[in-house]
Amino acid sequence: MITTLIWRSEADAKHSANRLAPEPALQNAFIELRGDLGAGKTTFTRHLLRALGVTGPIKSPSYTVVEPYETPAGLRVWHFDFYRFRDPREWEDAGLRDLFTAQGLKIAEWPEHAAGVLPRADLVLELTVKATGAREVGIMAGSAAGSRLLHALVT
Ligand SMILES: Nc1ncnc2c1ncn2[C@@H]1O[C@H](COP(=O)(O)OP(=O)(O)OP(=O)(O)O)[C@@H](O)[C@H]1O
Ligand SMILES: [Mg+2]
């Protein structure tokens, strides 16, 4: 089942990030962010990290594949961008598999490019840019934890 939200502006994306941040289910979750180049995946992640209290620079991991963070509350967060991910050997060699088994929040842009190696997502947000510039957000839960996150987003 797909639930849909509309982000009319970045402020709405920030609002969604603020809804998610206090959820206990976020402490050990995998969130996939799907959508075209420029859809708003990094922007949403940035708002979520800020909502979690991260204050330093937040860079797009498009060249590094992953950027690690730790929130003031001690939650570890890994922001992945698999856009340039081509070689599944990197999954083992760069220790990416280990990050996905560690306790913390994993957020991935371009999960389609690592579909063969990624675990099932707890939550999938699929962003589509409308003609007005608004973002349509399709939300799918892949687990009980994901359902709690979905509920936090839509209520
Ligand atoms: N929710 C939003 N509403 C309106 N504009 C937005 C929104 N989110 C992002 N934008 C605009 O779109 C631009 C691109 O967003 P962003 O870099 O987050 O896209 P992305 O999905 O991460 O792209 P890529 O696939 O290249 O990594 C931002 O600089 C911002 O101006
Ligand atoms: Mg991005």
Side-chain angles (χ1 to χ4, degrees), residues 41-42 60 81 109:
K41 303 178 293 294
T42 299
S60 172
D81 185 332
E109 302 184 36

Side-chain angles (χ1 to χ4, degrees), residues 97-120:
R97 177 192 295 280
D98 299 333
L99 298 184
F100 271 88
T101 55
Q103 165 92 22
L105 171 61
K106 304 98 194 174
I107 306 170
E109 302 184 36
W110 293 103
E112 303 91 332
H113 290 195
V117 289
L118 285 176
R120 181 179 175 82

Side-chain angles (χ1 to χ4, degrees), residues 37 87 119 140:
L37 290 166
D87 187 348
M140 289 144 283

Side-chain angles (χ1 to χ4, degrees), residues 6-14 33-47 60-62 79 81 83-84 109-110 127 129 132-137:
I6 299 287
W7 290 340
R8 282 174 217 296
S9 68
E10 219 184 293
D12 286 347
K14 182 179 180 184
L33 300 178
R34 298 172 174 257
D36 287 344
L37 290 166
K41 303 178 293 294
T42 299
T43 301
F44 175 72
T45 305
R46 204 171 271 137
H47 284 301
S60 172
S62 44
H79 179 198
D81 185 332
Y83 190 70
R84 289 180 177 74
E109 302 184 36
W110 293 103
L127 312 185
V129 183
T132 56
R135 269 62 174 173
E136 187 178 282
V137 188

